[in-house]
Amino acid sequence: MGLTSLKRSKVLTGASAAVLAAGAISSSVAFANPDTNVRVTQDQDGHYVSAHTMATGVVYSDPVLDRCGIDRRQQNEPTIAIDPRNSDVRTAGSNDYCGIPTNGDAWAGFYRSANGGATGSWVDSLLPGYAADTSPEGIASPLHSLAQGGAHAAGDPVQAWDSNGNLFFMGNNFNRGIADGKSGSVRDLTGDIWVATYAPANPTDISTDGQAYQRTVLLDTNTFGAGQQTDKTGINVDRNNGNIYAAWSAFHGSACNEILFSRSTDHGQTFSPPLKLSSSVCNNQGPNIAIGPTGNVYVSWQANNGGTKSRGTQSANGAAFVKSIDGGRSFSMARIVINYVPFVSNQFSGSGARQCGDAPLNCPTGQTFPRFDLAQPTLTTDGTDVDMAFQVRLSDGEGQIKFSRSVNGGAIWSTPTAIDSHPGDGHQFFPWITASGNQISAVYYDSMGDPNYSPTSAPCNSPTGAGYPCLNVHYAKSTNHGATWAISTITDAPINPNFEQFGGRLVPFFGDYIMVSAVTTATGTTVAAAWTDSRDVVLGTEKPGQDMDNDDILGATETTEACTTGIADACFDTGGLDQNIYTQSIS
């Protein structure tokens, strides 16, 4: 079924609940979309190439890239960014698990299209520097020695373009540590924060923007002990002066974690020492950066003011916010500007677990679902306004995306309103928001129309805990500063997020975010979204007497196929693990 037959369009206002109850539609909007979504991660038929090949045309490969080209494993936590000087060029990234059998862990996938993100135009590769990377770029990367020393994983990718065809790709690199007994923590955990630069392969040809890998720079490193690590990242570029701004989370075990910030004024060659932004709040996670038209730098993240691990008696959850008026040299005191109860997955487990799957990782409620507990606010600027979206738990347990704006640089924020209100009809989570050309764009997952929807049930779960496709990606557009929104479904097939593909095929994981990007050129505003999708997953045949949850993939222990669940996986290329990144051009 094509997108046209599945798409819905409506405009919602602050009185959207009343509008929906009356069955009224204020107006509609049409989107010029192709009939099918585009798969970005072609991890079969030998499609992966190296950064060296992308930049020079000289073929280089290794066992990791060879296996990535056929492995049909998982990709999640996508990023997408459109080149502001050539909207046909766009880049994406993800946590890419294709190299697990040869690399030992997931690595940061880097993907590029020079043809508007069309089918067949994406070139898939990996960030240089993984342990087995012997290309010149890989050897030169500071990640290479760290990876060879045991920090095999890289992920949490985000991206941003400058105005000269340079793409800045940020993420973290780490090992997963060693389980630390009853503490529920890990020890011997190491990691770092990095920013890589991809420049035009030919400075006179804008179709080569972001094609040639240049360098990777470390912004922060740690050799922490139990429970300490660097995590979620955010990046943006001031296209007027070329300054690059980066932020990330730093966890310190039992101490209050931090949001750290660094900037580059030399186009990504060096970065300033980390600056702490979160001195007055705690439990900080998920920074997001926006830049105002006069160069002001805004950073938001999820936090509370209740002290370490929320033990304070006056704890308030919500969106923390800081502002810089001097190009990121200094910031205002952090404060929670919007209080909200975050919509998080553990409300469905009955045990406080973040995700639920098969035994021993099953939950008292009998439901199966991935974690979606990173309720970070996402941030953008719409002219002189600062705009924010976040996932809220309503009083009955329903998840809903809310929007708020500030017209005075973050001093005062409007009362949050629903972007897409359809009460009693589904959960919403993982919003991402951006603005360009007097238009605000947002994407999020929505289980609207779930036939078994209940505020006490996770998306796509039957009363007996069986999973099915019910999740779609919705796109919301506002041209009046968020007063009204036009809504469209951009996935052309519903998604089952509950396939048990992780932890030895016992639990689901769908990442912690999805993303939208927009740029405005002389020909108009171009928007594209990227998300994690499970439409290519191959189910197994469940054994009689098992839980029959319809979420067991080919090769799982609860199915009849004879496969192992370790690195030497006899079913690695048969589709049970085939989670992918998909994209859609929206306008």
Side-chain angles (χ1 to χ4, degrees), residues 72 89 162 188 194-195 201 246 260 301 348 362 407 409 453 489 556-557:
R72 297 181 69 183
V89 175
D162 68 10
D188 299 332
W194 48 264
V195 172
L260 300 179
W301 64 92
F348 303 114
N362 55 331
V407 298
Y453 168 75
T489 299
T557 55

Side-chain angles (χ1 to χ4, degrees), residues 424-486:
D425 195 30
H427 295 295
Q428 303 168 350
F429 59 98
F430 288 175
W432 201 272
I433 192 170
T434 192
S436 184
N438 298 315
Q439 172 179 310
I440 309 174
S441 296
V443 293
Y444 46 92
Y445 285 125
D446 198 323
S447 66
M448 178 181 180
D450 183 346
N452 295 296
Y453 168 75
S454 166
T456 60
S457 293
C460 313
N461 271 260
S462 76
T464 61
Y468 48 87
C470 84
L471 202 65
N472 282 287
V473 177
H474 286 180
Y475 169 70
K477 177 175 72 173
S478 177
T479 56
N480 55 8
H481 307 286
T484 60
W485 296 86

Side-chain angles (χ1 to χ4, degrees), residues 319-380:
F321 178 83
V322 294
K323 171 183 177 179
S324 173
I325 59 174
D326 58 8
R329 295 180 183 89
S330 63
F331 284 84
S332 61
M333 181 67 72
R335 62 191 179 95
I336 293 180
V337 295
I338 303 172
N339 293 329
Y340 61 89
V341 178
F343 175 68
V344 293
S345 51
N346 64 12
Q347 69 189 59
F348 303 114
S349 66
S351 62
R354 305 168 69 191
Q355 63 275 313
C356 299
D358 287 341
L361 302 177
N362 55 331
C363 294
T365 60
Q367 298 182 50
T368 299
F369 54 85
R371 77 180 193 220
F372 40 89
D373 53 0
L374 179 58
Q376 63 176 335
T378 63
L379 198 67
T380 191

Side-chain angles (χ1 to χ4, degrees), residues 8 29 40 46 60 64 96 113 141 146 159 207 236 246 261 303 331 349 358 395-396 440 463 490 505 507 542 570:
R8 65 188 182 93
V29 64
V40 173
Y60 163 85
V64 176
D96 199 323
S113 168
S141 170
L146 295 169
Q159 298 176 339
S207 71
N236 213 331
F261 175 89
F331 284 84
S349 66
D358 287 341
S395 59
D396 66 353
I440 309 174
I490 60 171
R505 292 182 170 91
V507 290
E542 297 193 49

Side-chain angles (χ1 to χ4, degrees), residues 197-257:
T197 302
Y198 288 76
N202 179 353
T204 65
D205 182 358
I206 61 174
S207 71
T208 70
D209 285 0
Q211 182 176 328
Y213 169 84
Q214 299 294 295
R215 72 183 75 86
T216 296
V217 177
L218 297 184
L219 281 63
D220 192 15
T221 60
N222 72 67
T223 54
F224 292 157
Q228 304 189 17
Q229 60 181 312
T230 50
D231 201 10
K232 297 299 175 192
T233 53
I235 194 168
N236 213 331
V237 179
D238 188 331
R239 293 174 186 158
N240 292 316
N241 58 24
N243 285 356
I244 306 163
Y245 303 114
W248 61 98
S249 310
F251 288 82
H252 298 294
S254 60
C256 189
N257 58 307

